[in-house]
Amino acid sequence: MAELGEEEQLEQPQITEENEGSSVPPDTEILIPNTSQRNSLYTRKCQRLQQFFSSKKLNTTTKSLHTKRKPKVVHRKKSAYLSALEDGPSTSQAFDSLMSNGAVDESSEISDSDQSNEKMSTMGDNINKKMQDNIRRKRDTSECQSLDYDANENDLHQEEIERMYFRRGFRSLELQRWIICMLIGISTGLTAVVINLCIIQISDYKKQVISSYIRKCTRDKCLYQPMLIWMAFNVVFVFFAAVLTCYVAPVAAGSGIPQIKLFLNGVKVPGVVRVSAYFTKVVGVIATVCAGLASGKEGPMVHAAAVLAAGISQGRSLTFGCVSRFFEYFRNDREKRDFVCAGAAAGVSAAFGAPVGGVLFSLEEAASFWNQKLTWRNFFCSVLSSYTLNFLMSVYNGHSGELAHPGLINFGQFKGSYEGFELVIFLVMGFLGGIFGAAFVSINYHITVHRMKYVTTSFLHITEAVIVAAVCGAIGYLAMYLSNDCKPLGIDPDATLQFHCRDGEYNTMAVLFFTTPEEGVRSVFHDPLGSLLPMTIVGFVVPYFILACWTYGLKVPTGLFVPALLIGACWGRLIGIALNSLFPDALWSQDLSKYALIGAAAQIGGTVRMTISLAVILIEATGTITYSLPLMGVLLVAKWVGDMFNAGIYDTHIHLMNIPLLETDPKPQSKIIQIRDVMSFPPVCLKRRTTLSDICSILSSESQIHNAFPIIDDDGKFRGMISLYEIVLLIQRKIFVENKATQDTLKLKDFLDTYPRYEPLLSNLNIQDEDMEMHLDLSSCINPTPYTVYEKATLSKVYLLFRSLGLRHLAVLDDEHMVVGVVTRSNLWKYGKVHHGFDN
């Protein structure tokens, strides 16, 4: 993707780097020192510390420092440094921040005992506040965080598993998973019904008002009035959606599929599964579709369903303060991922009436981990979603027993067939679909880059959305006004607008511009030969293509599937008309619906670069398997051709977000790179029992705080991993070795109740001065069996471990089982992007 380099000049959102150790500039070659170089670095560090203490003219020996009953502030810090010299470079790295942060003032002199105690009290308050601010910065909700899908096997989790085993609780958990999937499917279907009915009612009212004004002003020669009314409708709806998106849930902009793809890949986009995102997505997509933008409601259904899945599976809502005891065991990243995956499948199923296609979509496009049980649960969820929508829409239409509305979009019935030689024509259409899809992605990419560079405030985002809405209304009205293509009423049941046509006729341009995109797709698919003139189709598809490129990326909820299908159906129908004009007497050229269908598949395949799942979705949506072979062939050709020019639209927008998505396979160059060239070095390590002052020093340093820390023993051997979240809870609960006999026992429920937010812990984090010398007991929260690799492992192997297991941190060990570094998702993504051009 040679063209994806322009956004490097833009200001990108910062990605939280969980455990980078010493940060390395992106344009610098990463060099890992060997053992002799490490010893040299360590020796120079010791010499620097000794020079520092000698410059203070401190003649007190180490022994006297440890034997003083009331050590002074400077003495205590010197003792910390000297103990760091004994513990080795991994631990001493944690105390470098004391000098850089001004904890030790070189110009200060040793104070007397009273002044020392006062300074100690002040220092305790400062460290307490600074540590809380530093943790909040590290867990800032405006930044992306990695998710940890690895199973934690610390003592607390193992005790809970043993308790459930003897109580036979695993069967209950499996039953609860099926119940959650049932609730997700039903709630997704209900959401789709609400969206569909609201769009139908509002669109019908809008058409009635504008049609009455057009009929009136055609006689009174005031046709500018209905155009202004149409533009006003569009502007009001889009303004409401844009304000809601900008100020309530900015993450709800767009289709939401890139964000859900990131979540399932292991990246938590801020607010992506919050209740505010669900509300904004549902209300916003109703407003944007009713406003006549070049967007659909199918894509946002995936995001809305994923939010429902995340909320239902947790059994509570922190936004509304509703907390229950249901589904407590599923309050972790691993279980939430599986249910969000089921929600994505249910969203596709409700959108297209394709349960199997929904499961395949979550497998091909979204998830990076899969198993057989997940397949069955997702299929169960997808079926319930589709049939809930189907049943309720059938009841709404007065035919409760027909079940003829399986999805939000209905392609209608395709009853024709094709000749064998037409497969060549279809493959050529697939080639054109790849070209047009790549062109769509390229145009949208440059528009998005320009938008990121210049449209930077909420006011400008709202203004742009309003301008697009007004332009869509003006272009649609002018196209109908200038069109002279009239056909008798009844050819298209959805077309009734007369405009300049004679009585008993309708304006064919209104079939495309004055209806919802779903109705337009159905008309292009099934309107008989001669109902739409080629100039009418060209007059629609060219401006609509440009408007769709402009619309996708606005700060409003928009979908991409249906606009791409409509564009492809239009130029596919044009190819069918051209073939009919060349072979007017041939039977195979009389059916234009198959060319419209193949064109729609080629366009959407060349835009999003999906293959298997999209083929099954289209087969289920059309209700026939007749076109399965040409659909699969066309989608493959469209993907291959499109990939020659750029990435798919979703991957392109993920790239523009500058978020570390791990693709399916590592690049070939990764097989010749060792992980020690990529890892963060040196690591910040802790011991099982560490003084609170040492931990506070680490957590108060912006360069030392990370989201996980390796645990080592007295010999420096690796013994496990502990997360920042667990350390903060231990500090908040004051799990000290000295108070072990009197303090309450820590339970797994204490972690589940605070998942996934830190603020309740930080608000109650109160560290007293007398606590600073206490030893924090980390034993119960240490994961003793995390995944590890040796420093000579290849980047390719580590990449596959991260991608398939959903890891967040990976400790790198040497031959002596000592920690030499830590690998995170940011290391893999950043190293590949900067040093070896993996994105090219």
Side-chain angles (χ1 to χ4, degrees), residues 496-538:
T496 58
L497 187 61
Q498 181 178 356
F499 221 98
H500 288 304
C501 299
R502 296 189 296 268
D503 292 339
E505 294 182 339
Y506 70 91
N507 189 301
T508 56
M509 188 65 78
V511 175
L512 303 173
F513 269 118
F514 201 56
T515 58
T516 60
E518 290 82 4
E519 294 173 348
V521 169
R522 191 163 52 248
S523 297
V524 176
F525 277 166
H526 298 291
D527 280 2
L529 181 64
S531 60
L532 291 171
L533 296 178
M535 288 305 300
T536 301
I537 298 176
V538 172

mmCIF file of all heavy atoms in Angstrom, residues 496-538:
data_model
loop_
_atom_site.group_PDB
_atom_site.id
_atom_site.type_symbol
_atom_site.label_atom_id
_atom_site.label_comp_id
_atom_site.label_asym_id
_atom_site.label_seq_id
_atom_site.Cartn_x
_atom_site.Cartn_y
_atom_site.Cartn_z
ATOM 1 N N THR A 496 -43.905 6.334 -7.291
ATOM 2 C CA THR A 496 -45.176 7.036 -7.494
ATOM 3 C C THR A 496 -44.994 8.515 -7.797
ATOM 4 O O THR A 496 -45.977 9.194 -8.104
ATOM 5 C CB THR A 496 -46.059 6.901 -6.238
ATOM 6 O OG1 THR A 496 -45.341 7.425 -5.109
ATOM 7 C CG2 THR A 496 -46.412 5.444 -5.967
ATOM 8 N N LEU A 497 -43.773 9.049 -7.696
ATOM 9 C CA LEU A 497 -43.553 10.481 -7.856
ATOM 10 C C LEU A 497 -43.672 10.874 -9.327
ATOM 11 O O LEU A 497 -42.939 10.359 -10.180
ATOM 12 C CB LEU A 497 -42.170 10.871 -7.319
ATOM 13 C CG LEU A 497 -41.869 12.365 -7.280
ATOM 14 C CD1 LEU A 497 -42.848 13.090 -6.363
ATOM 15 C CD2 LEU A 497 -40.439 12.615 -6.818
ATOM 16 N N GLN A 498 -44.568 11.799 -9.626
ATOM 17 C CA GLN A 498 -44.848 12.172 -11.019
ATOM 18 C C GLN A 498 -43.873 13.225 -11.529
ATOM 19 O O GLN A 498 -43.314 13.113 -12.611
ATOM 20 C CB GLN A 498 -46.284 12.690 -11.141
ATOM 21 C CG GLN A 498 -46.679 13.070 -12.554
ATOM 22 C CD GLN A 498 -48.129 13.530 -12.625
ATOM 23 O OE1 GLN A 498 -48.860 13.497 -11.640
ATOM 24 N NE2 GLN A 498 -48.557 13.979 -13.788
ATOM 25 N N PHE A 499 -43.696 14.294 -10.806
ATOM 26 C CA PHE A 499 -42.835 15.417 -11.175
ATOM 27 C C PHE A 499 -43.295 16.019 -12.501
ATOM 28 O O PHE A 499 -44.456 16.426 -12.609
ATOM 29 C CB PHE A 499 -41.367 14.989 -11.241
ATOM 30 C CG PHE A 499 -40.442 16.027 -10.646
ATOM 31 C CD1 PHE A 499 -39.980 15.898 -9.343
ATOM 32 C CD2 PHE A 499 -40.057 17.139 -11.370
ATOM 33 C CE1 PHE A 499 -39.150 16.850 -8.786
ATOM 34 C CE2 PHE A 499 -39.225 18.098 -10.815
ATOM 35 C CZ PHE A 499 -38.765 17.953 -9.512
ATOM 36 N N HIS A 500 -42.445 16.034 -13.542
ATOM 37 C CA HIS A 500 -42.848 16.633 -14.819
ATOM 38 C C HIS A 500 -43.548 15.634 -15.742
ATOM 39 O O HIS A 500 -43.921 15.995 -16.861
ATOM 40 C CB HIS A 500 -41.614 17.185 -15.550
ATOM 41 C CG HIS A 500 -41.062 18.419 -14.910
ATOM 42 N ND1 HIS A 500 -41.817 19.551 -14.679
ATOM 43 C CD2 HIS A 500 -39.828 18.703 -14.424
ATOM 44 C CE1 HIS A 500 -41.074 20.475 -14.107
ATOM 45 N NE2 HIS A 500 -39.857 19.983 -13.934
ATOM 46 N N CYS A 501 -43.676 14.400 -15.311
ATOM 47 C CA CYS A 501 -44.276 13.383 -16.180
ATOM 48 C C CYS A 501 -45.790 13.586 -16.288
ATOM 49 O O CYS A 501 -46.422 14.259 -15.465
ATOM 50 C CB CYS A 501 -43.973 11.984 -15.639
ATOM 51 S SG CYS A 501 -42.200 11.607 -15.554
ATOM 52 N N ARG A 502 -46.366 12.967 -17.329
ATOM 53 C CA ARG A 502 -47.809 13.047 -17.535
ATOM 54 C C ARG A 502 -48.537 12.217 -16.494
ATOM 55 O O ARG A 502 -47.940 11.411 -15.785
ATOM 56 C CB ARG A 502 -48.162 12.572 -18.938
ATOM 57 C CG ARG A 502 -47.580 13.446 -20.049
ATOM 58 C CD ARG A 502 -48.150 13.027 -21.394
ATOM 59 N NE ARG A 502 -47.743 11.673 -21.726
ATOM 60 C CZ ARG A 502 -46.666 11.388 -22.431
ATOM 61 N NH1 ARG A 502 -45.867 12.355 -22.884
ATOM 62 N NH2 ARG A 502 -46.366 10.113 -22.712
ATOM 63 N N ASP A 503 -49.864 12.435 -16.431
ATOM 64 C CA ASP A 503 -50.672 11.660 -15.493
ATOM 65 C C ASP A 503 -50.559 10.173 -15.819
ATOM 66 O O ASP A 503 -50.587 9.761 -16.996
ATOM 67 C CB ASP A 503 -52.143 12.093 -15.579
ATOM 68 C CG ASP A 503 -52.337 13.507 -15.068
ATOM 69 O OD1 ASP A 503 -51.460 13.973 -14.312
ATOM 70 O OD2 ASP A 503 -53.335 14.144 -15.437
ATOM 71 N N GLY A 504 -50.454 9.369 -14.779
ATOM 72 C CA GLY A 504 -50.314 7.931 -14.966
ATOM 73 C C GLY A 504 -48.882 7.491 -15.175
ATOM 74 O O GLY A 504 -48.644 6.307 -15.453
ATOM 75 N N GLU A 505 -47.911 8.399 -15.046
ATOM 76 C CA GLU A 505 -46.504 8.057 -15.211
ATOM 77 C C GLU A 505 -45.724 8.490 -13.963
ATOM 78 O O GLU A 505 -46.198 9.315 -13.168
ATOM 79 C CB GLU A 505 -45.915 8.735 -16.452
ATOM 80 C CG GLU A 505 -46.496 8.239 -17.762
ATOM 81 C CD GLU A 505 -45.851 8.905 -18.960
ATOM 82 O OE1 GLU A 505 -45.267 9.993 -18.785
ATOM 83 O OE2 GLU A 505 -45.945 8.343 -20.064
ATOM 84 N N TYR A 506 -44.529 7.964 -13.840
ATOM 85 C CA TYR A 506 -43.656 8.319 -12.713
ATOM 86 C C TYR A 506 -42.264 8.641 -13.227
ATOM 87 O O TYR A 506 -41.862 8.211 -14.313
ATOM 88 C CB TYR A 506 -43.602 7.188 -11.680
ATOM 89 C CG TYR A 506 -42.870 5.948 -12.133
ATOM 90 C CD1 TYR A 506 -41.512 5.787 -11.897
ATOM 91 C CD2 TYR A 506 -43.551 4.925 -12.794
ATOM 92 C CE1 TYR A 506 -40.835 4.655 -12.309
ATOM 93 C CE2 TYR A 506 -42.886 3.787 -13.215
ATOM 94 C CZ TYR A 506 -41.525 3.647 -12.968
ATOM 95 O OH TYR A 506 -40.868 2.520 -13.386
ATOM 96 N N ASN A 507 -41.537 9.423 -12.444
ATOM 97 C CA ASN A 507 -40.178 9.817 -12.777
ATOM 98 C C ASN A 507 -39.231 8.697 -12.346
ATOM 99 O O ASN A 507 -39.143 8.362 -11.164
ATOM 100 C CB ASN A 507 -39.828 11.129 -12.056
ATOM 101 C CG ASN A 507 -38.513 11.715 -12.519
ATOM 102 O OD1 ASN A 507 -37.492 11.069 -12.402
ATOM 103 N ND2 ASN A 507 -38.544 12.939 -13.016
ATOM 104 N N THR A 508 -38.506 8.108 -13.335
ATOM 105 C CA THR A 508 -37.647 6.963 -13.011
ATOM 106 C C THR A 508 -36.451 7.350 -12.140
ATOM 107 O O THR A 508 -35.940 6.525 -11.390
ATOM 108 C CB THR A 508 -37.141 6.306 -14.298
ATOM 109 O OG1 THR A 508 -36.474 7.293 -15.089
ATOM 110 C CG2 THR A 508 -38.301 5.731 -15.106
ATOM 111 N N MET A 509 -36.005 8.605 -12.246
ATOM 112 C CA MET A 509 -34.894 9.015 -11.389
ATOM 113 C C MET A 509 -35.293 9.010 -9.920
ATOM 114 O O MET A 509 -34.456 8.793 -9.038
ATOM 115 C CB MET A 509 -34.408 10.400 -11.803
ATOM 116 C CG MET A 509 -33.141 10.864 -11.115
ATOM 117 S SD MET A 509 -31.691 9.859 -11.517
ATOM 118 C CE MET A 509 -31.308 10.510 -13.146
ATOM 119 N N ALA A 510 -36.590 9.215 -9.656
ATOM 120 C CA ALA A 510 -37.067 9.178 -8.273
ATOM 121 C C ALA A 510 -36.976 7.774 -7.681
ATOM 122 O O ALA A 510 -36.919 7.616 -6.456
ATOM 123 C CB ALA A 510 -38.501 9.680 -8.204
ATOM 124 N N VAL A 511 -36.957 6.749 -8.550
ATOM 125 C CA VAL A 511 -36.794 5.385 -8.051
ATOM 126 C C VAL A 511 -35.458 5.233 -7.325
ATOM 127 O O VAL A 511 -35.327 4.478 -6.362
ATOM 128 C CB VAL A 511 -36.896 4.383 -9.218
ATOM 129 C CG1 VAL A 511 -36.599 2.964 -8.744
ATOM 130 C CG2 VAL A 511 -38.266 4.450 -9.848
ATOM 131 N N LEU A 512 -34.449 5.952 -7.775
ATOM 132 C CA LEU A 512 -33.109 5.827 -7.224
ATOM 133 C C LEU A 512 -32.796 6.871 -6.159
ATOM 134 O O LEU A 512 -32.143 6.567 -5.166
ATOM 135 C CB LEU A 512 -32.087 5.927 -8.366
ATOM 136 C CG LEU A 512 -32.270 4.910 -9.498
ATOM 137 C CD1 LEU A 512 -31.315 5.202 -10.637
ATOM 138 C CD2 LEU A 512 -32.081 3.495 -8.981
ATOM 139 N N PHE A 513 -33.249 8.101 -6.354
ATOM 140 C CA PHE A 513 -32.890 9.174 -5.424
ATOM 141 C C PHE A 513 -33.928 9.418 -4.338
ATOM 142 O O PHE A 513 -33.580 9.931 -3.276
ATOM 143 C CB PHE A 513 -32.670 10.479 -6.196
ATOM 144 C CG PHE A 513 -31.252 10.703 -6.638
ATOM 145 C CD1 PHE A 513 -30.940 10.791 -7.978
ATOM 146 C CD2 PHE A 513 -30.219 10.815 -5.727
ATOM 147 C CE1 PHE A 513 -29.638 10.987 -8.402
ATOM 148 C CE2 PHE A 513 -28.916 11.013 -6.126
ATOM 149 C CZ PHE A 513 -28.625 11.096 -7.474
ATOM 150 N N PHE A 514 -35.186 9.086 -4.611
ATOM 151 C CA PHE A 514 -36.253 9.479 -3.690
ATOM 152 C C PHE A 514 -36.724 8.311 -2.828
ATOM 153 O O PHE A 514 -37.782 8.363 -2.240
ATOM 154 C CB PHE A 514 -37.429 10.052 -4.488
ATOM 155 C CG PHE A 514 -38.339 10.914 -3.662
ATOM 156 C CD1 PHE A 514 -37.845 12.004 -2.967
ATOM 157 C CD2 PHE A 514 -39.700 10.634 -3.584
ATOM 158 C CE1 PHE A 514 -38.693 12.798 -2.213
ATOM 159 C CE2 PHE A 514 -40.554 11.433 -2.835
ATOM 160 C CZ PHE A 514 -40.040 12.511 -2.143
ATOM 161 N N THR A 515 -35.955 7.249 -2.766
ATOM 162 C CA THR A 515 -36.273 6.098 -1.925
ATOM 163 C C THR A 515 -35.062 5.774 -1.044
ATOM 164 O O THR A 515 -33.983 6.337 -1.228
ATOM 165 C CB THR A 515 -36.617 4.863 -2.783
ATOM 166 O OG1 THR A 515 -35.512 4.574 -3.644
ATOM 167 C CG2 THR A 515 -37.868 5.123 -3.626
ATOM 168 N N THR A 516 -35.254 4.860 -0.116
ATOM 169 C CA THR A 516 -34.121 4.415 0.694
ATOM 170 C C THR A 516 -33.187 3.569 -0.172
ATOM 171 O O THR A 516 -33.604 3.005 -1.192
ATOM 172 C CB THR A 516 -34.608 3.579 1.889
ATOM 173 O OG1 THR A 516 -35.312 2.424 1.415
ATOM 174 C CG2 THR A 516 -35.529 4.403 2.764
ATOM 175 N N PRO A 517 -31.915 3.456 0.182
ATOM 176 C CA PRO A 517 -30.983 2.648 -0.623
ATOM 177 C C PRO A 517 -31.430 1.202 -0.783
ATOM 178 O O PRO A 517 -31.207 0.589 -1.835
ATOM 179 C CB PRO A 517 -29.667 2.744 0.158
ATOM 180 C CG PRO A 517 -29.761 4.030 0.912
ATOM 181 C CD PRO A 517 -31.207 4.181 1.262
ATOM 182 N N GLU A 518 -32.083 0.635 0.224
ATOM 183 C CA GLU A 518 -32.558 -0.747 0.109
ATOM 184 C C GLU A 518 -33.623 -0.869 -0.977
ATOM 185 O O GLU A 518 -33.600 -1.833 -1.765
ATOM 186 C CB GLU A 518 -33.127 -1.220 1.449
ATOM 187 C CG GLU A 518 -32.082 -1.431 2.539
ATOM 188 C CD GLU A 518 -31.681 -0.144 3.238
ATOM 189 O OE1 GLU A 518 -32.269 0.901 2.923
ATOM 190 O OE2 GLU A 518 -30.767 -0.169 4.076
ATOM 191 N N GLU A 519 -34.536 0.072 -1.026
ATOM 192 C CA GLU A 519 -35.552 0.046 -2.080
ATOM 193 C C GLU A 519 -34.930 0.270 -3.452
ATOM 194 O O GLU A 519 -35.352 -0.322 -4.451
ATOM 195 C CB GLU A 519 -36.619 1.105 -1.798
ATOM 196 C CG GLU A 519 -37.442 0.829 -0.551
ATOM 197 C CD GLU A 519 -38.373 1.985 -0.221
ATOM 198 O OE1 GLU A 519 -38.209 3.072 -0.829
ATOM 199 O OE2 GLU A 519 -39.247 1.822 0.633
ATOM 200 N N GLY A 520 -33.901 1.124 -3.514
ATOM 201 C CA GLY A 520 -33.212 1.353 -4.775
ATOM 202 C C GLY A 520 -32.511 0.098 -5.280
ATOM 203 O O GLY A 520 -32.535 -0.205 -6.480
ATOM 204 N N VAL A 521 -31.865 -0.656 -4.374
ATOM 205 C CA VAL A 521 -31.200 -1.902 -4.775
ATOM 206 C C VAL A 521 -32.214 -2.889 -5.335
ATOM 207 O O VAL A 521 -31.990 -3.522 -6.391
ATOM 208 C CB VAL A 521 -30.454 -2.515 -3.568
ATOM 209 C CG1 VAL A 521 -29.990 -3.927 -3.897
ATOM 210 C CG2 VAL A 521 -29.273 -1.644 -3.176
ATOM 211 N N ARG A 522 -33.352 -3.019 -4.685
ATOM 212 C CA ARG A 522 -34.374 -3.958 -5.149
ATOM 213 C C ARG A 522 -34.927 -3.549 -6.509
ATOM 214 O O ARG A 522 -35.188 -4.403 -7.372
ATOM 215 C CB ARG A 522 -35.489 -4.051 -4.105
ATOM 216 C CG ARG A 522 -36.462 -5.169 -4.347
ATOM 217 C CD ARG A 522 -37.293 -5.482 -3.107
ATOM 218 N NE ARG A 522 -37.929 -4.298 -2.556
ATOM 219 C CZ ARG A 522 -37.590 -3.767 -1.385
ATOM 220 N NH1 ARG A 522 -36.613 -4.295 -0.668
ATOM 221 N NH2 ARG A 522 -38.219 -2.704 -0.929
ATOM 222 N N SER A 523 -35.074 -2.254 -6.727
ATOM 223 C CA SER A 523 -35.580 -1.790 -8.021
ATOM 224 C C SER A 523 -34.577 -2.065 -9.140
ATOM 225 O O SER A 523 -34.948 -2.518 -10.226
ATOM 226 C CB SER A 523 -35.891 -0.285 -7.951
ATOM 227 O OG SER A 523 -36.904 -0.018 -7.008
ATOM 228 N N VAL A 524 -33.293 -1.802 -8.891
ATOM 229 C CA VAL A 524 -32.276 -2.052 -9.915
ATOM 230 C C VAL A 524 -32.151 -3.547 -10.188
ATOM 231 O O VAL A 524 -31.914 -3.971 -11.327
ATOM 232 C CB VAL A 524 -30.923 -1.456 -9.479
ATOM 233 C CG1 VAL A 524 -29.830 -1.789 -10.488
ATOM 234 C CG2 VAL A 524 -31.032 0.049 -9.319
ATOM 235 N N PHE A 525 -32.334 -4.355 -9.189
ATOM 236 C CA PHE A 525 -32.270 -5.804 -9.374
ATOM 237 C C PHE A 525 -33.411 -6.324 -10.250
ATOM 238 O O PHE A 525 -33.179 -7.136 -11.155
ATOM 239 C CB PHE A 525 -32.320 -6.517 -8.018
ATOM 240 C CG PHE A 525 -30.985 -6.603 -7.328
ATOM 241 C CD1 PHE A 525 -30.911 -6.962 -5.987
ATOM 242 C CD2 PHE A 525 -29.807 -6.332 -7.992
ATOM 243 C CE1 PHE A 525 -29.689 -7.049 -5.334
ATOM 244 C CE2 PHE A 525 -28.579 -6.404 -7.355
ATOM 245 C CZ PHE A 525 -28.521 -6.763 -6.024
ATOM 246 N N HIS A 526 -34.637 -5.879 -10.002
ATOM 247 C CA HIS A 526 -35.804 -6.586 -10.532
ATOM 248 C C HIS A 526 -36.673 -5.759 -11.478
ATOM 249 O O HIS A 526 -37.627 -6.329 -12.036
ATOM 250 C CB HIS A 526 -36.670 -7.089 -9.368
ATOM 251 C CG HIS A 526 -35.967 -8.069 -8.476
ATOM 252 N ND1 HIS A 526 -35.620 -9.345 -8.888
ATOM 253 C CD2 HIS A 526 -35.525 -7.962 -7.194
ATOM 254 C CE1 HIS A 526 -35.010 -9.978 -7.903
ATOM 255 N NE2 HIS A 526 -34.937 -9.158 -6.860
ATOM 256 N N ASP A 527 -36.437 -4.493 -11.668
ATOM 257 C CA ASP A 527 -37.229 -3.759 -12.655
ATOM 258 C C ASP A 527 -36.988 -4.343 -14.038
ATOM 259 O O ASP A 527 -35.849 -4.669 -14.397
ATOM 260 C CB ASP A 527 -36.865 -2.272 -12.634
ATOM 261 C CG ASP A 527 -37.547 -1.540 -11.495
ATOM 262 O OD1 ASP A 527 -38.265 -2.201 -10.721
ATOM 263 O OD2 ASP A 527 -37.348 -0.321 -11.353
ATOM 264 N N PRO A 528 -38.045 -4.483 -14.843
ATOM 265 C CA PRO A 528 -37.900 -5.158 -16.144
ATOM 266 C C PRO A 528 -37.036 -4.363 -17.122
ATOM 267 O O PRO A 528 -36.722 -3.190 -16.901
ATOM 268 C CB PRO A 528 -39.343 -5.286 -16.643
ATOM 269 C CG PRO A 528 -40.089 -4.207 -15.935
ATOM 270 C CD PRO A 528 -39.436 -4.059 -14.600
ATOM 271 N N LEU A 529 -36.657 -5.042 -18.170
ATOM 272 C CA LEU A 529 -35.838 -4.433 -19.217
ATOM 273 C C LEU A 529 -36.556 -3.225 -19.809
ATOM 274 O O LEU A 529 -37.733 -3.299 -20.172
ATOM 275 C CB LEU A 529 -35.557 -5.465 -20.312
ATOM 276 C CG LEU A 529 -34.692 -5.017 -21.490
ATOM 277 C CD1 LEU A 529 -33.281 -4.681 -21.027
ATOM 278 C CD2 LEU A 529 -34.657 -6.111 -22.562
ATOM 279 N N GLY A 530 -35.857 -2.110 -19.903
ATOM 280 C CA GLY A 530 -36.414 -0.890 -20.456
ATOM 281 C C GLY A 530 -37.022 0.055 -19.442
ATOM 282 O O GLY A 530 -37.379 1.189 -19.775
ATOM 283 N N SER A 531 -37.124 -0.369 -18.175
ATOM 284 C CA SER A 531 -37.717 0.504 -17.155
ATOM 285 C C SER A 531 -36.758 1.597 -16.716
ATOM 286 O O SER A 531 -37.193 2.657 -16.246
ATOM 287 C CB SER A 531 -38.165 -0.329 -15.957
ATOM 288 O OG SER A 531 -37.060 -1.015 -15.397
ATOM 289 N N LEU A 532 -35.453 1.346 -16.819
ATOM 290 C CA LEU A 532 -34.440 2.348 -16.465
ATOM 291 C C LEU A 532 -33.529 2.538 -17.669
ATOM 292 O O LEU A 532 -32.848 1.595 -18.099
ATOM 293 C CB LEU A 532 -33.620 1.888 -15.251
ATOM 294 C CG LEU A 532 -34.335 1.841 -13.906
ATOM 295 C CD1 LEU A 532 -33.459 1.165 -12.861
ATOM 296 C CD2 LEU A 532 -34.714 3.228 -13.443
ATOM 297 N N LEU A 533 -33.510 3.757 -18.207
ATOM 298 C CA LEU A 533 -32.651 4.054 -19.344
ATOM 299 C C LEU A 533 -31.189 4.140 -18.893
ATOM 300 O O LEU A 533 -30.907 4.509 -17.750
ATOM 301 C CB LEU A 533 -33.078 5.359 -20.009
ATOM 302 C CG LEU A 533 -34.470 5.375 -20.652
ATOM 303 C CD1 LEU A 533 -34.763 6.743 -21.224
ATOM 304 C CD2 LEU A 533 -34.606 4.294 -21.705
ATOM 305 N N PRO A 534 -30.257 3.839 -19.817
ATOM 306 C CA PRO A 534 -28.831 3.924 -19.435
ATOM 307 C C PRO A 534 -28.422 5.303 -18.945
ATOM 308 O O PRO A 534 -27.648 5.417 -17.984
ATOM 309 C CB PRO A 534 -28.107 3.548 -20.732
ATOM 310 C CG PRO A 534 -29.086 2.702 -21.481
ATOM 311 C CD PRO A 534 -30.433 3.249 -21.147
ATOM 312 N N MET A 535 -28.932 6.370 -19.576
ATOM 313 C CA MET A 535 -28.554 7.718 -19.137
ATOM 314 C C MET A 535 -29.076 8.015 -17.730
ATOM 315 O O MET A 535 -28.442 8.735 -16.966
ATOM 316 C CB MET A 535 -29.072 8.753 -20.118
ATOM 317 C CG MET A 535 -28.333 8.760 -21.444
ATOM 318 S SD MET A 535 -26.543 8.974 -21.241
ATOM 319 C CE MET A 535 -26.473 10.545 -20.426
ATOM 320 N N THR A 536 -30.236 7.442 -17.400
ATOM 321 C CA THR A 536 -30.765 7.621 -16.046
ATOM 322 C C THR A 536 -29.857 6.954 -15.016
ATOM 323 O O THR A 536 -29.554 7.529 -13.960
ATOM 324 C CB THR A 536 -32.176 7.028 -15.959
ATOM 325 O OG1 THR A 536 -33.024 7.685 -16.909
ATOM 326 C CG2 THR A 536 -32.748 7.216 -14.567
ATOM 327 N N ILE A 537 -29.404 5.749 -15.351
ATOM 328 C CA ILE A 537 -28.524 5.036 -14.425
ATOM 329 C C ILE A 537 -27.192 5.760 -14.277
ATOM 330 O O ILE A 537 -26.672 5.924 -13.167
ATOM 331 C CB ILE A 537 -28.311 3.585 -14.911
ATOM 332 C CG1 ILE A 537 -29.656 2.844 -14.946
ATOM 333 C CG2 ILE A 537 -27.335 2.856 -14.004
ATOM 334 C CD1 ILE A 537 -29.558 1.434 -15.496
ATOM 335 N N VAL A 538 -26.626 6.223 -15.399
ATOM 336 C CA VAL A 538 -25.355 6.949 -15.343
ATOM 337 C C VAL A 538 -25.525 8.247 -14.564
ATOM 338 O O VAL A 538 -24.664 8.622 -13.747
ATOM 339 C CB VAL A 538 -24.831 7.220 -16.762
ATOM 340 C CG1 VAL A 538 -23.616 8.144 -16.718
ATOM 341 C CG2 VAL A 538 -24.469 5.921 -17.457
#
